[in-house]
Amino acid sequence: MFREIPTVLTAEEIIDKMFRRAKKVEVPLSRNKLLMHRNLSIAKIFTARDVAVHTLKRYVDKFPYINKMHPFYRSLLELLLDKNQYKKSLGALNWAIGKIESLATKYSRKIKGCGKIEEALKLRKEFYGRAASVIKQISSNLQFLAQAREIMRRLPDIDAREPTIVIAGYPNVGKSELVSKLSTAKPEIAAYPFTTKGIIVGHMETEYGRVQIIDTPGLLDRPLEKRNKIEKQAILALKYLANLIVFLLDPSETCGYKLEEQENLLDEIKLSFNVPILVVENKADLLRRESGFIKISAKTGEGVDMLVDLIMERVNTHSQVQRRL
Ligand SMILES: Nc1nc2c(ncn2[C@@H]2O[C@H](COP(=O)(O)OP(=O)(O)O)[C@@H](O)[C@H]2O)c(=O)[nH]1
Ligand SMILES: [Mg+2]
């Protein structure tokens, strides 16, 4: 969706392009010089108009409507750019399209009715000046959209419609190890706002179709309270994506965090995300304790098949299907 947004030219670049193309326009030679010059001027005006309208229309078509986006992307974009300014900028482009179309119509009519070659030339110049001024008036809007494009292109590239599992838990509890065990292909890194690490996206093929697995280094691996408001909202955007959060505990504490600390993070995530959570105890090869949670070893693979069954059960329950629709 975001890959299709074209590069946004500056006002000067659009103006250059309009007149460069208009300059190349030719009409058949004719004995009637006045008629020939009128036709030439009109053809040039229409070419300049077409360049401007085509360029701007493409932007209007290719920049997505934020309000129609999946809530995951919508909530991230609301943090990253001024939504009103975005709407206004696209509106300004529409205004410019209409303005240039009507100027072209008006000036071509005037030229048709003019009686002198010089006048045709003068009117053509006048159109150029006015059309250029319209484009200059949307210069800041074009600039804003160029920035918006850069922001949108850096958004994580995820299929928001695919059932998605988000993995959480303190560092070193085995999240990456588990994601690589569950993924059918090598997980990919996707950019994520406010973290340089990005998120890791893997895919699991199941009899019910593909499931996306997301590892979130630096996001869901420490208390949310330590983040600033914007970071926190960017992290919470994951709730729109996740059908299920798999929270990994490491009772062996070889990760370097006390189990109690880990459980506090679990409680916080439970409170902050309105998403079903599956608690999994990892590193069962090192330590097993009495608890109601499923036990696995991401390292040896023990219990992982059972975990997949549990995940699929949770992802395919009626409520989950409803959430997707
Ligand atoms: N013994 C044992 N070690 C594990 C297990 N899962 C992960 N590890 C190790 O724990 C360390 C941290 O794992 P990693 O997947 O990078 O943790 P993450 O920070 O949560 O992504 C690595 O050295 C892993 O090899 C497990 O089930 N058993
Ligand atoms: Mg990791």
Side-chain angles (χ1 to χ4, degrees), residues 239-278:
K239 71 171 172 245
Y240 298 113
L241 204 62
N243 294 78
L244 178 70
I245 293 175
V246 169
F247 190 93
L248 280 193
L249 285 172
D250 172 5
S252 80
E253 297 183 348
T254 53
C255 62
Y257 299 91
K258 291 254 170 272
L259 191 55
E260 195 188 337
E261 262 180 288
Q262 299 180 47
E263 283 165 343
N264 288 341
L265 177 61
L266 171 61
D267 287 341
E268 196 199 25
I269 288 179
K270 270 185 192 158
L271 286 174
S272 311
F273 290 81
N274 185 21
V275 173
I277 299 184
L278 180 62

Side-chain angles (χ1 to χ4, degrees), residues 59-73:
Y59 300 158
V60 173
D61 287 347
K62 294 289 182 182
F63 273 96
Y65 281 104
I66 295 180
N67 286 342
K68 283 191 189 158
M69 285 181 189
H70 187 280
F72 169 67
Y73 284 114

Side-chain angles (χ1 to χ4, degrees), residues 170-177 215 282-283 285-286 297-299:
Y170 262 101
N172 298 316
V173 296
K175 299 185 296 299
S176 301
E177 189 97 35
D215 185 8
N282 190 31
K283 307 196 186 175
D285 55 311
L286 296 181
S297 167
K299 199 169 193 173

Side-chain angles (χ1 to χ4, degrees), residues 1-2 64-78 83 155-156 158-164 192 212 214 236-243 320 322-325:
M1 159 170 61
F2 303 117
Y65 281 104
I66 295 180
N67 286 342
K68 283 191 189 158
M69 285 181 189
H70 187 280
F72 169 67
Y73 284 114
R74 201 167 63 213
S75 59
L76 286 182
L77 276 176
E78 281 167 0
K83 208 168 87 173
L155 286 176
I158 323 184
D159 188 342
R161 293 158 308 181
E162 218 168 74
T164 301
Y192 202 85
Q212 213 161 216
I214 297 186
L236 287 175
L238 287 167
K239 71 171 172 245
Y240 298 113
L241 204 62
N243 294 78
Q320 290 308 311
Q322 287 291 311
R323 264 169 64 85
R324 281 292 146 197
L325 300 174

Side-chain angles (χ1 to χ4, degrees), residues 5-16:
I5 304 173
T7 315
V8 181
L9 299 177
T10 64
E12 287 69 33
E13 285 167 337
I14 296 176
I15 293 168
D16 274 359

